[in-house]
Amino acid sequence: MKKIITKILLLVFLFTIIDVNTAKAQTLNQVAQMANAMCPIKLSDGLNITQINVEDDYLNYIYNMETDVNPTQSTKILAQNLEKTKQNTLKTITGQSNFKTLFQILQGHNGISITFMDNNDESTAIKVKISVQELKQAMEQEVSPEERVQILISSSQGLLPLKLDDEISITSISIIGDDVVYVYTINEDLVTMQEKTKILKDPESRKNIIQNLTSDLVSHQQTKIIANANKNMVYKYVGNKSNESVELKITNAELLEALNK
């Protein structure tokens, strides 16, 4: 269950800006040195920031994606939606609380770049560059909490339907009223809807699912965006043969409580 809940929108947060205390830094090199001292940083299973440096006058983040841990996460998949991901990323990172301080230090430099590799293999590397001017333009465009949820969802549409394992695939993500709804298709040859219903109705399972919403940086950020937009989270499981369904709803109040623990 944990893998299913936390890995859905992983690619959205590949560009997470590290919360460096940039107020103590005077130069871009100092920012990179302070941030790099934190590396390697585990964002979630199979996703790590391995190095932060200055390259070609860009503040460069190097991400390693372990495809054996999470096969749905790779530079090939990322490359299919690179420009859209870049635009969504601009709106996401420029809205973070510490970014304005970092942006001041970026003045006079080229901007931010992000290098992605599969399994530390440089031959798979792809790079995204975001100029200071692009960052400035994005900062001038106010993004509402509702729009941040839309960005979260739209960034994943190109990956769907997405097979998570032999038992389950995620087929859609949408906003319905006050709910962010994740729809999963269950392979009933391997697990029955009765078994899935029993798991979801178990209080201990529900408790574990809610705890997993903040178990790593990626999951925490995802949950925070949804909670700040006053949305609930709904997980709907549908049998691939019977078309029977069962839902698990986590209220906005429960999301906020989980974030505050």
Side-chain angles (χ1 to χ4, degrees):
M1 184 66 68
K2 178 179 178 180
K3 183 177 77 171
I4 294 171
I5 297 300
T6 62
K7 301 304 177 187
I8 300 166
L9 297 173
L10 188 58
L11 291 180
V12 176
F13 293 104
L14 289 173
F15 297 106
T16 300
I17 296 295
I18 302 307
D19 188 12
V20 181
N21 187 0
T22 52
K24 293 183 179 179
Q26 301 297 318
T27 68
L28 193 63
N29 282 326
Q30 288 176 336
V31 171
Q33 289 170 6
M34 292 169 63
N36 193 59
M38 302 166 63
C39 295
I41 301 167
K42 180 181 178 180
L43 298 179
S44 60
D45 291 342
L47 177 65
N48 302 279
I49 299 177
T50 58
Q51 188 177 354
I52 301 171
N53 57 23
V54 176
E55 182 179 291
D56 298 329
D57 208 33
Y58 286 87
L59 181 62
N60 184 46
Y61 295 78
I62 300 177
Y63 287 80
N64 181 53
M65 297 185 286
E66 301 173 21
T67 58
D68 54 335
V69 175
N70 191 343
T72 66
Q73 168 182 301
S74 72
T75 54
K76 290 182 179 179
I77 294 175
L78 187 63
Q80 293 172 3
N81 299 282
L82 206 55
E83 184 57 32
K84 185 176 182 180
T85 302
K86 175 181 175 178
Q87 295 306 316
N88 288 336
T89 298
L90 276 167
K91 295 179 181 180
T92 301
I93 65 176
T94 53
Q96 295 188 13
S97 59
N98 67 318
F99 186 74
K100 289 184 179 179
T101 304
L102 178 58
F103 180 74
Q104 293 303 315
I105 296 175
L106 285 168
Q107 298 299 303
H109 299 280
N110 284 337
I112 290 174
S113 65
I114 307 99
T115 302
F116 300 94
M117 295 185 198
D118 290 340
N119 305 314
N120 288 312
D121 182 356
E122 292 187 2
S123 69
T124 67
I126 62 173
K127 188 185 292 287
V128 174
K129 293 183 177 180
I130 304 175
S131 71
V132 169
Q133 183 61 29
E134 288 174 312
L135 293 168
K136 181 176 184 295
Q137 291 174 349
M139 289 174 66
E140 293 171 348
Q141 299 174 1
E142 185 174 349
V143 181
S144 68
E146 180 83 17
E147 187 177 1
R148 292 190 187 283
V149 177
Q150 293 286 359
I151 292 169
L152 190 70
I153 293 172
S154 66
S155 297
S156 298
Q157 295 304 317
L159 302 176
L160 303 180
L162 180 62
K163 182 178 179 180
L164 300 175
D165 56 35
D166 290 339
E167 293 183 1
I168 190 167
S169 299
I170 179 167
T171 51
S172 73
I173 310 168
S174 62
I175 298 176
I176 302 176
D178 292 330
D179 300 331
V180 176
V181 181
Y182 303 80
V183 178
Y184 300 89
T185 297
I186 301 296
N187 183 348
E188 292 181 279
D189 289 331
L190 299 177
V191 59
T192 67
M193 290 303 298
Q194 290 78 10
E195 290 171 331
K196 180 59 66 177
T197 299
K198 183 179 180 180
I199 292 172
L200 294 177
K201 298 299 182 183
D202 178 57
E204 191 64 28
S205 294
R206 178 184 177 84
K207 179 181 176 181
N208 291 335
I209 290 169
I210 293 175
Q211 288 178 341
N212 288 335
L213 293 175
T214 57
S215 62
D216 55 50
L217 181 57
V218 170
S219 303
H220 188 278
Q221 291 284 8
Q222 172 183 310
T223 302
K224 184 177 180 180
I225 286 176
I226 294 172
N228 286 348
N230 296 317
K231 300 295 183 185
N232 311 303
M233 296 177 73
V234 175
Y235 298 97
K236 181 176 181 179
Y237 298 84
V238 181
N240 67 332
K241 292 183 177 180
S242 67
N243 207 37
E244 293 179 7
S245 65
V246 59
E247 294 184 359
L248 172 69
K249 184 170 185 174
I250 304 171
T251 66
N252 183 259
E254 289 175 310
L255 295 178
L256 291 171
E257 182 181 358
L259 289 166
N260 291 327
K261 285 185 177 179

